[in-house]
Amino acid sequence: MPAYKEKDAKTWYVSVRYEDWTGKKTRKVKRGFATKREALEWERKFLLKENASLDMTFDSFLELYKEDLKDRLKLSTWIMKTSVIDQKILPYFKNKRMCDIKTSDVIAWQKEIMAYRDEDGNAYTPTYLKTIHNQLSAIFNHAVRYYELASNPAAKAGNMGKEKTREMLFWTKEEYTSFVEEIMDKPISFYAFEMLYWCGLRMGELLALTPSDFDLKEGIVHITKSYQRIHGKDVITDPKTEKSVRNIKMPDFLVDEIKDYLNALYNVESDTRIFPITKSYLHHEMNRGSDAAGVKRIRIHDLRHSHVSLLIDKGFQPLAIADRVGHESVDITYRYAHLFPSKQIEMVNTLDEIWNGDDSNVG
């Protein structure tokens, strides 16, 4: 189709007739192109996208990919994903046609990414390399699954980097008690860490709490949302997973503490965040209390591990623990298997009894 020049301007426009996804014939007009060539190039890409043709360039397919996924992902996840794609992937593959991208192209891209060094001579970490590759592979998987690309060249090339393997740390009840005594001088810190340790909350779940989330008569806190700071703005999102939406029964002493805390807050509405602090504030308090108490420094998230390890130590089963902290029971069993040594001993003793013919106490 031809491009047209505006009568009263120096710009060009195109008028495209096509069938939409319902089969209905319709028209799309796009204005404001500086040259006829730009107008025709936009028209070509538009029709390729409408026909879902993999003759389209990578950057054109990327627009489709973003349109398909944006509303399905949490805002923070979306920002991370698009940042990696736009900075580390798009510049290399931008003008290549989707159907022409080969495994060798991906391998060449991997070499370039792995060879990168910043001004201090530092390369990307293995964890970040894997994150970058996973984003590229996800784009091709989308093309395979929904747009009939024959295969995923990123999968054929193999991954780069490796998963993060971080030691799981936790505090015993005694270590936590020593820590929390050192931060009691700041009520907001004390009550925040009490909720984190005794309920196993994620940091975002804690920072999203409002008075309406508490049923103090029943001793329950309702976890229905998460807080994040994105681009300088406070953002309340859905929790991490569907399983994360849960009701947590609080111990009586914690119910009393939260009653005292809420009563001490001034002019707080039912939907006001009761912990209007930042993640960096909590990290600072973690450092302050750990140093003063002389206990090992753990991450904020390790308080969640501490809660789980405490429940395991007291003999609670994975399914019950999973319901409380918003995990799948299989995740609890797998991730915390090393914290079940006493159970392993019990199992071995039982097997010995069965082998010896003394199974009267089994079951």
Side-chain angles (χ1 to χ4, degrees):
M1 292 183 180
Y4 306 92
K5 195 166 188 178
E6 300 280 9
K7 292 182 179 179
D8 301 323
K10 297 181 179 179
T11 57
W12 294 77
Y13 74 94
V14 288
S15 176
V16 187
R17 294 189 180 277
Y18 67 100
E19 286 188 4
D20 65 17
W21 65 276
T22 66
K24 178 182 177 182
K25 293 187 180 298
T26 186
R27 186 173 71 142
K28 173 77 173 180
V29 176
K30 180 72 173 178
R31 302 180 183 275
F33 297 103
T35 65
K36 180 178 181 180
R37 181 178 180 180
E38 290 178 8
L40 292 174
E41 178 62 15
W42 180 91
E43 178 189 43
R44 185 185 71 82
K45 289 183 176 180
F46 175 81
L47 290 174
L48 285 173
K49 286 171 60 178
E50 286 302 316
N51 295 327
S53 169
L54 292 176
D55 282 339
M56 75 177 80
T57 57
F58 183 88
D59 65 328
S60 294
F61 181 79
L62 191 57
E63 292 178 25
L64 278 181
Y65 178 72
K66 290 180 176 180
E67 289 172 8
D68 290 345
L69 288 189
K70 185 174 182 179
D71 294 335
R72 304 184 189 184
L73 300 176
K74 289 178 65 175
L75 179 59
S76 58
T77 303
W78 179 250
I79 290 174
M80 182 280 293
K81 176 184 270 296
T82 54
S83 175
V84 170
I85 291 172
D86 292 345
Q87 295 179 33
K88 306 299 187 299
I89 298 174
L90 183 58
Y92 189 92
F93 294 101
K94 181 177 181 179
N95 296 318
K96 297 180 182 291
R97 294 194 307 168
M98 286 293 291
C99 59
D100 290 339
I101 298 175
K102 301 179 177 63
T103 303
S104 58
D105 295 318
V106 176
I107 292 174
W109 166 78
Q110 288 179 333
K111 289 179 179 178
E112 188 170 311
I113 294 295
M114 289 189 289
Y116 169 82
R117 298 293 184 272
D118 64 18
E119 58 186 15
D120 295 322
N122 299 315
Y124 294 132
T125 65
T127 302
Y128 190 54
L129 288 174
K130 184 173 177 62
T131 296
I132 298 172
H133 179 90
N134 286 348
Q135 296 305 326
L136 178 64
S137 190
I139 294 170
F140 285 117
N141 277 338
H142 194 76
V144 170
R145 187 174 295 117
Y146 300 110
Y147 295 93
E148 299 182 6
L149 183 68
S151 62
N152 179 345
K156 289 182 177 179
N159 218 318
M160 59 180 177
K162 62 181 180 180
E163 292 281 6
K164 176 166 52 179
T165 54
R166 232 173 159 176
E167 182 183 1
M168 183 184 295
L169 300 175
F170 60 91
W171 276 339
T172 63
K173 188 258 185 179
E174 291 72 25
E175 287 175 313
Y176 172 71
T177 300
S178 298
F179 160 81
V180 82
E181 287 177 352
E182 298 297 336
I183 61 166
M184 292 182 74
D185 57 323
K186 295 183 179 180
I188 195 170
S189 301
F190 172 73
Y191 293 113
F193 280 102
E194 284 284 270
M195 289 297 299
L196 288 169
Y197 183 80
W198 293 109
C199 293
L201 300 184
R202 298 179 177 93
M203 194 176 346
E205 295 170 348
L206 170 82
L207 298 180
L209 289 176
T210 65
S212 63
D213 293 319
F214 292 90
D215 181 346
L216 296 176
K217 183 177 180 181
E218 297 297 326
I220 292 173
V221 57
H222 305 287
I223 306 301
T224 61
K225 53 191 179 293
S226 183
Y227 166 88
Q228 294 175 329
R229 186 78 173 167
I230 300 176
H231 295 331
K233 296 182 179 179
D234 295 337
V235 178
I236 301 298
T237 66
D238 291 335
K240 186 175 182 180
T241 65
E242 290 184 12
K243 188 80 173 178
S244 300
V245 177
R246 62 202 189 278
N247 297 325
I248 300 175
K249 185 76 173 176
M250 298 184 293
D252 290 342
F253 73 85
L254 186 58
V255 173
D256 291 338
E257 289 178 352
I258 294 302
K259 283 180 181 178
D260 291 341
Y261 179 60
L262 292 178
N263 289 334
L265 296 177
Y266 176 73
N267 197 28
V268 174
E269 303 293 334
S270 63
D271 60 350
T272 300
R273 287 174 53 223
I274 64 171
F275 296 111
I277 51 182
T278 63
K279 293 181 179 180
S280 61
Y281 174 87
L282 287 173
H283 287 301
H284 175 271
E285 289 297 272
M286 197 76 164
N287 288 332
R288 181 173 75 94
S290 299
D291 290 343
V295 297
K296 63 180 178 290
R297 175 65 165 89
I298 63 175
R299 299 171 302 163
I300 302 292
H301 191 74
D302 287 323
L303 290 172
R304 184 168 159 83
H305 298 321
S306 301
H307 183 70
V308 172
S309 69
L310 181 65
L311 296 178
I312 291 173
D313 185 61
K314 296 306 177 183
F316 291 96
Q317 297 302 305
L319 181 59
I321 298 173
D323 286 341
R324 183 171 177 82
V325 299
H327 262 312
E328 296 293 341
S329 59
V330 66
D331 293 335
I332 295 293
T333 303
Y334 176 74
R335 296 181 65 192
Y336 298 89
H338 62 291
L339 298 181
F340 287 92
S342 62
K343 297 301 177 185
Q344 291 288 343
I345 293 172
E346 289 177 22
M347 291 177 190
V348 170
N349 289 340
T350 298
L351 292 173
D352 278 334
E353 291 173 2
I354 294 173
W355 186 82
N356 289 318
D358 180 15
D359 58 356
S360 57
N361 295 322
V362 177

